Structures are given as structure tokens and as C-alpha cells.
Amino acid sequence: MNESLQAQQPSQKENKQKYKFDKNRKRQKPEKANFDEYFEKLDERLGTARQGEPVRVVGVRFKNAGKIYYFDKGELDITEGMSVIVETARGMELGKAEYTDRAVPPECVVAPLKKIMRAASPEDVAQDAANQAREKEAFGVCLEKIAKHNLDMKLIDVEMTFDATKIIFYFSADGRVDFRELVKDLASVFRMRIELRQIGVRDEAKMLKGVSICGRPLCCSTFLGDFQPVSIKMAKEQGLSLNPTKISGICGRLMCCLKYEEETYEYLNKGMPNPGDVIRTRDGDGEVLSVNILRQTIKAAVRKKPQDDPTIGSFSSQDITILERKAPPEENEGKAGGRGRGRGGKHNADHDDRIEE
């Protein structure tokens, strides 16, 4: 048995040969990897969407300042501003063609791209007007039912689909509302599918419309299709007052217009010091007092020698060198978006609860 174990174990000479082989192998120069060939094959597999041809679409809007949806016009002759009938997830809808035959990237199109059914006829326009009249009637009926059930909710708007098979009631509330009995009562009155949708304060302002603190109509109710996230950091970068009453809209959230010039201020802020930073200028070293982002100038108190009295001067951003940056204070920066956070970082998500009958 010992002889069999000795036979299985390699001899000392074999171990030396193996070590010598491994040692020589490590000294061999590895082959150079062909990364160009690798990325070419990767582009062939994953780059089809990037190399795809643009898709020609028609943009259709269903509400004023609403989101634009893409459709295929097919063989129809659609002109800008024409009313069209399309099929959506809610059924048949009447919309307005905002633009025709526009090329968009394929990744922006949700497949399959639905076709426009037909151009709206005078009968379709009359039916849409009749539906709007029924919406006003349904608004009053729903208010009575809400008061009957003593529900803590605020009715905002009512929408009826073009084919009059479904009616949607938009409301706002501080918390969740048990409106199952309300849905049953509305279904018995209108004899169609009923949907109650809870919305947030931004959507409420968009539907009710109004005038902002700048004196102009609300951006969300005139031309904004979607809500973009807005944070208090944007107001800081633009040098605005952090007083909530001055940077908040009538909805109580941060104003959407803070987003408009954010990219410009981010570009201008690159390489600019902050108040409290130590910089070097032609007149000596000193501490930054204030910064003018648009003019790209810095006001600082500088000394040519440490024992000299400080002198206040204005310098261009190209003529200074930042020696030391002051650590930014830690603070909780809240965000405000269509479904984001409100002021002060407190979570206040807009619920989208639905109950259908």
C-alpha cells in the first residue's frame, strides 16, 4: 500500500521540471488584446437601436398644455392643427395634431406605433362638445354625492372619453379616501365605467389654472407638458433668495421656472469659487466675499502681505486661482417634482389611486 502511495506522488525531479516550466511560462509576454475588434462586435450586437433610422410620426395632444403622443398617420393627409380620432388605452379619443411628419429617434417611440384612425368629422366635433357639456353636469352630480357621503376630498375636474364609455373624476385629498360607496352611486347614475383618480398639488394647479407671482399665467397650464424635478440647489446656484414664499408657486412647491436656466448656471458655476474660499489675485491672497455668476466676477478682501490691512476689490474669474475651498454646510436639500418631494425634504408624493366600477 505504501508502494502505491509512493507511485502516485511525483518525484523531486518532476517537481523541479514543473516549477521550471511554470517559471518560464510567467516570463512569456502576453498577447496584446484586440479591443477594436471586441467593440466592433459589441456594436453589431447592441448598436442596432443607435443605428436605426428615425421614425416619422404625428404629434397629437389631447389637452391644452398636455403631453404630446406619437402616432402613425399612414396614408392619411394630416395637417397641423387638424382634429383627429385615435385609439388609446382609454379607448377612442379626439385630439389635435400639433405637428406632422416629424422625425424622432426610434428609442423615443413606444412600440407598436398606433395609426391615426381618421380625421375628425363635423359630427365628431359635435359629439366632443356634447361630452364636455355632460362633464359639467357630472361635476355637479359628483359634488352632491361627495357631500352626501361626507368625504374629505376636493373635486378638481371631470373627463369623459370620446366614445362615452368611461368617465374620470380627478380629486385631491390630504390622505387616502375610501370612496367605494361613492363609485357605486356614480355608476348607478351614469351607467358607464367610473374611475376616481387622486392627484397632487401640481396637477391640481395645472387643471385649475391661475396667475403666478410673476404676473403671467401658470407655465404648467399654458405650455409645460411634463413636470420636471426641481430642487432647492437650483435656487442656490442661481443666487436666489431661499425664502419659500419667493421661490414657491401657487401650488406650494418650488417653481418650475427654476429649471429653465439651470444648465446655464451649472456651466457658469464651473471653476467659480464660493463665498469663504481663499483665492490668489494680482493684488494678493484673500477670502471671497461674494460672487456674480452672470458677470463672472468675484469680490474679495485681499492682502499683499499677511500683516497688511485687507482691501476689497473685484476680480475676473480668469484672473484668480483658488487656493482653498470652504467645506459646504451639510443640509437636507428637498426636491419637488410631478411625483417628487416638497419643500424641506418632507415626502409628499402625489398618490394615483384608482378604483373602477
Side-chain angles (χ1 to χ4, degrees), residues 12-26:
Q12 187 176 3
K13 185 177 181 181
E14 291 176 349
N15 283 335
K16 289 183 178 180
Q17 292 178 352
K18 184 178 180 181
Y19 173 75
K20 185 177 180 181
F21 172 75
D22 293 338
K23 190 175 181 181
N24 294 334
R25 186 179 180 184
K26 290 180 181 178

Side-chain angles (χ1 to χ4, degrees), residues 8 17 19 34 38 69 83 93 111 142 157 167 210 217 219 237 261 265 278 293 301 309 313 319 327 334 351 356:
Q8 292 178 3
Q17 292 178 352
Y19 173 75
N34 191 349
Y38 169 77
Y69 296 87
S83 298
E93 294 286 350
C142 187
D157 197 11
I167 188 168
C219 298
E237 289 184 344
E261 299 179 356
Y265 277 92
V278 179
I293 302 299
D309 294 332
D319 299 334
H351 301 291
E356 296 186 9

Side-chain angles (χ1 to χ4, degrees), residues 13-301:
K13 185 177 181 181
E14 291 176 349
N15 283 335
K16 289 183 178 180
Q17 292 178 352
K18 184 178 180 181
Y19 173 75
K20 185 177 180 181
F21 172 75
D22 293 338
K23 190 175 181 181
N24 294 334
R25 186 179 180 184
K26 290 180 181 178
R27 291 178 179 177
Q28 293 177 358
K29 188 176 181 180
E31 295 182 0
K32 186 177 180 180
N34 191 349
F35 290 103
D36 294 338
E37 182 180 354
Y38 169 77
F39 284 112
E40 286 179 2
K41 293 181 179 180
L42 185 64
D43 286 340
E44 291 177 0
R45 297 199 309 266
L46 304 178
T48 53
R50 209 168 44 242
Q51 299 172 359
E53 296 182 358
V55 182
R56 314 298 298 190
V57 299
V58 176
V60 178
R61 196 194 299 268
F62 301 100
K63 299 180 183 178
N64 292 332
K67 186 178 179 180
I68 295 180
Y69 296 87
Y70 296 145
F71 291 89
D72 181 12
K73 69 176 182 179
E75 302 298 330
L76 298 175
D77 184 17
I78 305 298
T79 59
E80 185 175 340
M82 177 184 293
S83 298
V84 294
I85 302 296
V86 296
E87 184 180 359
T88 66
R90 302 196 309 182
M92 294 177 57
E93 294 286 350
L94 184 143
K96 180 181 179 181
E98 293 293 330
Y99 49 78
T100 62
D101 198 26
R102 175 174 294 186
V104 298
E107 57 267 20
C108 297
V109 178
V110 179
L113 185 63
K114 294 185 178 181
K115 292 186 177 182
I116 296 177
M117 299 179 63
R118 66 178 188 274
S121 62
E123 292 78 11
D124 295 330
V125 177
Q127 181 177 347
D128 183 64
N131 290 342
Q132 293 180 9
R134 295 183 64 184
E135 289 172 358
K136 295 180 180 180
E137 179 184 354
F139 191 94
V141 173
C142 187
L143 286 178
E144 295 177 0
K145 298 297 182 182
I146 291 174
K148 175 184 175 182
H149 292 279
N150 195 23
L151 296 176
D152 187 14
M153 54 189 294
K154 179 182 177 182
L155 186 62
I156 304 300
D157 197 11
V158 180
E159 282 185 8
M160 184 179 295
T161 58
F162 177 76
D163 51 5
T165 59
K166 182 178 180 180
I167 188 168
I168 305 171
F169 296 89
Y170 297 93
F171 72 94
S172 64
D174 293 335
R176 295 186 179 272
V177 181
D178 184 7
F179 41 68
R180 288 173 290 184
E181 296 300 325
L182 174 62
V183 173
K184 293 179 181 179
D185 286 355
L186 294 174
S188 63
V189 173
F190 296 104
R191 302 294 180 181
M192 64 177 68
R193 292 178 60 191
I194 304 295
E195 178 180 336
L196 270 75
R197 185 176 300 179
Q198 186 172 357
I199 61 175
V201 291
R202 285 184 176 269
D203 293 311
E204 179 181 351
K206 183 181 181 72
M207 290 183 177
L208 296 180
K209 303 179 182 180
V211 178
S212 183
I213 59 175
C214 62
R216 297 179 61 86
L218 297 179
C219 298
C220 57
S221 61
T222 51
F223 62 88
L224 283 183
D226 294 322
F227 290 113
Q228 298 294 329
V230 184
S231 68
I232 196 69
K233 180 182 176 183
M234 298 179 182
K236 292 180 180 179
E237 289 184 344
Q238 298 175 30
L240 301 176
S241 170
L242 300 184
N243 186 350
T245 59
K246 294 187 177 181
I247 58 176
S248 300
I250 64 173
C251 60
R253 303 289 183 88
L254 295 176
M255 293 188 295
C256 298
C257 55
L258 294 177
K259 181 72 175 178
Y260 298 165
E261 299 179 356
E262 175 61 16
E263 294 183 1
T264 302
Y265 277 92
E266 286 181 353
Y267 173 78
L268 294 176
N269 276 322
K270 290 181 180 179
M272 291 288 288
N274 298 318
D277 293 352
V278 179
I279 61 173
R280 174 164 293 169
T281 69
R282 62 180 181 273
D283 297 336
D285 300 348
E287 182 179 346
V288 176
L289 302 178
S290 62
V291 178
N292 191 318
I293 302 299
L294 297 180
R295 293 184 177 180
Q296 293 286 282
T297 57
I298 298 99
K299 181 182 288 186

